[in-house]
C-alpha cells in the first residue's frame, strides 16, 4: 500500500532545483551490475555526470540524445569510484522498471521545473 511521505512546506520544496538536461554521453560502468554513467548538458550549469541504476532496463545507446529531467542540487555522491552530481527523475512502474521522465516537447537545457 502506498503512503504519502511527510508533508513539506513550500519553502522546503523551493530548495529543490529540478532542470531539463540532454544526455550527451551514456556508458556502462564495467565494475557495476546496475549503473550507467551519463554525461548531461544542463545548459548554463554546464556538463554534469550522473550515475543511474538503470542498466537492467536501459541501453546506453538508446539514452544518448534524449532530453530528461534532472535533480541538479542533490549532494554529490561517490559510487564505484565515480562521482554522481545529481539524479535523473523517474516513475515507479508495476514491473519495477524506472520510467525516466522525458519532456514531450523540446526545451532549453537547464530550464527549471516550476
Amino acid at each position: 500500500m502506498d503512503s504519502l511521505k511527510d508533508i513539506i512546506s513550500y519553502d522546503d520544496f523551493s530548495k529543490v532545483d529540478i532542470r531539463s538536461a540532454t544526455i550527451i554521453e551514456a556508458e556502462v560502468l564495467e565494475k557495476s551490475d546496475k549503473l550507467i554513467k551519463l554525461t548531461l548538458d544542463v545548459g548554463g550549469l554546464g556538463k554534469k555526470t550522473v550515475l543511474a541504476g538503470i542498466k537492467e532496463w536501459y541501453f546506453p545507446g538508446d539514452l544518448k540524445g534524449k532530453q530528461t529531467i534532472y535533480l541538479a542540487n542533490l549532494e554529490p555522491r561517490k559510487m564505484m569510484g565515480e562521482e554522481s552530481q545529481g539524479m535523473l527523475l523517474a516513475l515507479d512502474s508495476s514491473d519495477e522498471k524506472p520510467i525516466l521522465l522525458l519532456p514531450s516537447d523540446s526545451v532549453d537545457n537547464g530550464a527549471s521545473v516550476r
Side-chain angles (χ1 to χ4, degrees):
M1 180 170 145
D2 286 341
S3 61
L4 187 64
K5 293 182 179 181
D6 292 342
I7 300 294
I8 63 170
S9 69
Y10 182 81
D11 288 339
D12 288 337
F13 175 74
S14 68
K15 295 175 187 175
V16 178
D17 192 349
I18 302 171
R19 306 282 184 119
S20 61
T22 297
I23 300 168
I24 55 176
E25 296 292 332
E27 61 186 274
V28 169
L29 274 184
E30 297 301 326
K31 304 174 261 181
S32 174
D33 293 333
K34 297 180 180 182
L35 297 174
I36 294 179
K37 180 180 177 180
L38 304 156
T39 303
L40 307 177
D41 176 353
V42 194
L45 297 180
K47 292 181 183 174
K48 301 294 180 182
T49 300
V50 170
L51 303 176
I54 58 175
K55 184 177 171 182
E56 180 179 343
W57 303 280
Y58 292 93
F59 296 104
D62 294 339
L63 296 170
K64 191 172 178 179
K66 299 265 190 216
Q67 197 165 49
T68 190
I69 305 301
Y70 162 72
L71 179 55
N73 65 336
L74 187 64
E75 182 177 21
R77 180 177 171 196
K78 284 270 193 182
M79 294 184 276
M80 305 297 293
E82 302 270 349
E83 183 178 78
S84 185
Q85 302 169 317
M87 177 186 290
L88 298 187
L89 298 186
L91 297 168
D92 287 333
S93 67
S94 58
D95 65 358
E96 297 186 22
K97 176 183 179 180
I99 307 302
L100 294 177
L101 299 184
L102 306 173
S104 59
D105 295 328
S106 180
V107 296
D108 291 337
N109 289 327
S112 294
V113 170
R114 56 180 178 139

